Amino acid sequence: MTMLTRPERHRRADLIVLATEAALLAAAIALGALLNRHGVRLYADAAPLYATWRPHLGFGTPAALLVAALVIWRGAGWAATARWPRLLAVGYLGTLAWTLSLALVDGWSAGLTGRLTVQAEYLHEVPRVTDIQAMLSGFADRILDFQPDSWSTHTAGHPPGALLLFVWLDRIGLGGGTAAGLACVLLGATVSVSVPVTLRALGAQDAARTVWPFLVLFPGAVWVGASADGIFAAVVAAGLALLVVGGRVPAALGGLLLGFALYLSYGFVLVGLLALTVVLLRARDRLGVLVVAVVAVGAVVVSFTLAGFHWLDGYHLVVRRYYQGWAAQRPYGYWVWANLAALLLSAGPVVGPAIRRTIALVPVRPSGHRPAAHRTWYIGPEGTGARRWQPIPGLRRLGSGRPAVWLPLAAVTVVLAADLSALSKAEVERIWLPFAVWLLVATAHLPAGQRRWWLALQAATALAVNHLLWTVS
C-alpha cells in the first residue's frame, strides 16, 4: 500500500474541502430555487445571494479581466520581494481598480452612483436630517416600522453612525449618489492596506506578503462597490491595525474607530473578539494598549449616549424592527447554512482549504523538555506516524506565525456567532464583509506553487457573480 507524502495528503484534503464547498453552494442554489418556486418567502430571487439572475456584460468587464490577469500572473511573486511602501500603494490602487471595474460591469449609475439613492438606503434620509443633535436624540423613536416618520430599512437597521457618515459627506459638499458611491469604493479599498499592516506589525511580514494578492482580488469587492458595508469594513480594519502599529496613541485612535464602528452596525460588538486577538498577539505592552483602547471605545459610547442615543435601546428596538419585516418570514432552517454558501461567494472558495490548513497549525501542547524561555509549540502529525510530533514552522519566535493562525480563527468564530444569532438571514455577502477580509489571512498557509491557481479561482468567482447576477446592495 502506497503511503501518501505530506504535500499529497494536504492536496487531497484541500480538494475534499473544495468539493464540500461546491456541494454546499449547489445545495443552497437548488433548494433556494425550489423554495422560491413553491412560494416560500426567501426574499432572494437568486438565493443564497440577495440578487436576481441577469447575465450581462458591461464596460467594466475588460478592465476587470485585465486586473485579474495581472494579479494572477505576477501578484504573488512580486509581493514577495517588493519594497513595503510600494507594496501597500500598489495594493491599494489594484484593489481600487478591481472594485471599480466590477462595479462598472453594471454601468456607472446602476453599478456605482445610484445604488445608495434608492428608498431603502441612507441617502434617502439625508435631506430629512436638518439638525444632527435632534436626529441623534430622536433616532431610536423612529426605528420601529409602520409609523409616519419611520426610518427607511437600512437606516433603521443600523445605529445612527451609519447615517451620520453620509450626512457629514453632504455637509462638506459631497452629497448625492456619486460622492457616496465613490466614498464606499475609495475607503473600502483601504482594507488591502490595513490587513497587511496589521500582520506586519505583529511580526508576520511573510504572511502579509502572501495574503496581499488575495486581498487585491477579494471577491467581496462586488459588494464593496458600492455599499456602505465597504466603508464599515475599512473602519474596522483600520481600527484593528491602529491597535498594533505603535504605542498607546495609535491604540487610542484605533479604539476611537472601533468605538465608532459600534455605531455603524450592532453586529460589530463581535469585533471585540478580533480586537482582543490582535492586542494579545502584540509582543509588548498588551495591558496598556488594551486599557487605552477600552477607554477610547468608552469615550465614543459616552459621547453618543450624552447626545441622546442609547445603544442598548437601539439594539432592542432594531430586533423588533427586524422581525417586523422580511426576517419574520425568511426561514431560519434554510438561511442558517445557506448564509455560509453566500459567504463562500463573498470571501471566495479559497477560504475553506485555507482555514483547514490553519486549523492544522493550532498549537496542541508545548514541548516539556526545554527550558520555559525556549519552548516552542508542537502540533499533531500530518505525515506518517500517528505518534510523532512536529514543530510548527515559523512559530519559534514570538509573533512570527501566530497572527496568521489566530486572526482567521477569530474571524471564523465571529462569523459563526453572527450566523447562529438568527439576526443574519440573507444578505450576509455584504453584511459580513468586515469579517470576510480577516478570513483571507488564512491564505498565508497555502503552498507557493498553488497560489496562482487559487487566485484564479477567486477572480473567477467574483467575475461569475458579477456577470451572471444583478446584485443588490
Side-chain angles (χ1 to χ4, degrees):
M1 179 177 175
T2 304
M3 298 294 293
L4 295 175
T5 64
R6 185 178 300 173
E8 289 171 338
R9 292 166 75 96
H10 269 303
R11 276 197 299 272
R12 173 176 287 189
D14 287 346
L15 290 174
I16 291 172
V17 173
L18 187 62
T20 303
E21 289 179 329
L24 174 66
L25 183 58
I29 293 172
L31 185 57
L34 183 64
L35 292 174
N36 276 323
R37 186 175 302 169
H38 284 80
V40 177
R41 296 180 177 179
L42 298 181
Y43 296 105
D45 294 339
L49 295 182
Y50 185 50
T52 56
W53 292 98
R54 191 189 303 179
H56 62 285
L57 297 173
F59 61 85
T61 300
L65 290 171
L66 178 60
V67 173
L70 285 173
V71 176
I72 293 166
W73 175 47
R74 292 287 294 164
W78 181 80
T81 58
R83 293 176 54 212
W84 186 250
R86 182 175 297 178
L87 182 74
L88 296 181
V90 173
Y92 176 76
L93 293 175
T95 305
L96 192 61
W98 175 241
T99 306
L100 275 174
S101 60
L102 289 174
L104 295 178
V105 169
D106 296 345
W108 177 257
S109 177
L112 186 65
T113 65
R115 294 219 167 193
L116 293 168
T117 60
V118 297
Q119 187 172 356
E121 282 282 3
Y122 304 101
L123 294 188
H124 175 73
E125 304 290 359
V126 169
R128 300 169 65 184
V129 181
T130 56
D131 185 325
I132 291 178
Q133 174 63 50
M135 182 272 286
L136 290 173
S137 61
F139 190 88
D141 297 332
R142 300 168 64 180
I143 291 176
L144 293 181
D145 206 354
F146 309 119
Q147 51 185 348
D149 60 348
S150 295
W151 294 118
S152 55
T153 303
H154 280 196
T155 301
H158 296 78
L163 176 58
L164 267 180
L165 287 176
F166 297 102
V167 171
W168 287 336
L169 277 177
D170 184 69
R171 292 289 196 272
I172 63 173
L174 296 175
T178 299
L182 289 175
C184 293
V185 174
L186 291 169
L187 292 174
T190 62
V191 167
S192 62
V193 175
S194 297
V195 175
V197 164
T198 302
L199 291 171
R200 185 173 186 256
L202 292 173
Q205 181 170 174
D206 288 345
R209 292 178 179 275
T210 301
V211 171
W212 178 86
F214 290 94
L215 292 168
V216 174
L217 292 186
F218 177 41
V222 170
W223 294 274
V224 171
S227 74
D229 296 272
I231 297 179
F232 301 169
V235 170
V236 169
L240 294 173
L242 285 167
L243 292 183
V244 296
V245 294
R248 300 186 182 187
V249 173
L253 295 175
L256 291 174
L257 280 181
L258 295 177
F260 186 70
L262 289 173
Y263 292 86
L264 296 176
S265 170
Y266 294 102
F268 287 165
V269 69
L270 296 172
V271 172
L273 179 60
L274 288 169
L276 182 61
T277 301
V278 298
V279 171
L280 292 178
L281 287 169
R282 285 176 57 100
R284 58 179 65 88
D285 197 23
R286 298 183 186 93
L287 182 59
V289 164
L290 183 61
V291 170
V292 167
V294 169
V295 169
V297 170
V300 176
V301 173
V302 169
S303 297
F304 273 92
T305 303
L306 291 177
F309 177 77
H310 297 263
W311 191 94
L312 279 175
D313 290 345
Y315 171 76
H316 291 305
L317 287 167
V318 88
V319 171
R320 291 174 58 188
R321 169 70 183 251
Y322 186 64
Y323 286 101
Q324 285 182 314
W326 291 348
Q329 300 174 55
R330 280 174 166 163
Y332 179 76
Y334 172 78
W335 288 109
V336 70
W337 59 272
N339 280 345
L340 301 179
L343 177 64
L344 287 178
L345 295 174
S346 179
V350 73
V351 164
I355 292 294
R356 184 206 67 79
R357 288 175 176 268
T358 302
I359 292 173
L361 294 175
V362 173
V364 176
R365 67 180 186 183
S367 61
H369 60 279
R370 297 188 181 191
H374 299 288
R375 284 183 181 176
T376 184
W377 284 98
Y378 280 71
I379 58 173
E382 297 174 26
T384 55
R387 295 183 179 179
R388 290 184 181 179
W389 295 86
Q390 303 292 336
I392 303 176
L395 292 190
R396 294 180 183 272
R397 292 186 298 106
L398 181 63
S400 61
R402 295 186 306 164
V405 172
W406 295 117
L407 277 172
L409 293 184
V412 168
T413 304
V414 166
V415 164
L416 292 178
D419 191 32
L420 294 174
S421 72
L423 295 175
S424 296
K425 291 191 285 186
E427 305 179 55
V428 298
E429 59 271 14
R430 62 167 179 81
I431 296 171
W432 290 351
L433 288 175
F435 311 143
V437 295
W438 296 98
L439 293 174
L440 291 180
V441 173
T443 59
H445 307 301
L446 297 173
Q450 298 178 18
R451 290 170 193 157
R452 184 174 291 176
W453 297 106
W454 285 116
L455 284 168
L457 187 57
Q458 292 286 96
T461 299
L463 292 168
V465 168
N466 217 52
H467 287 84
L468 294 176
L469 301 172
W470 196 266
T471 57
V472 182
S473 297

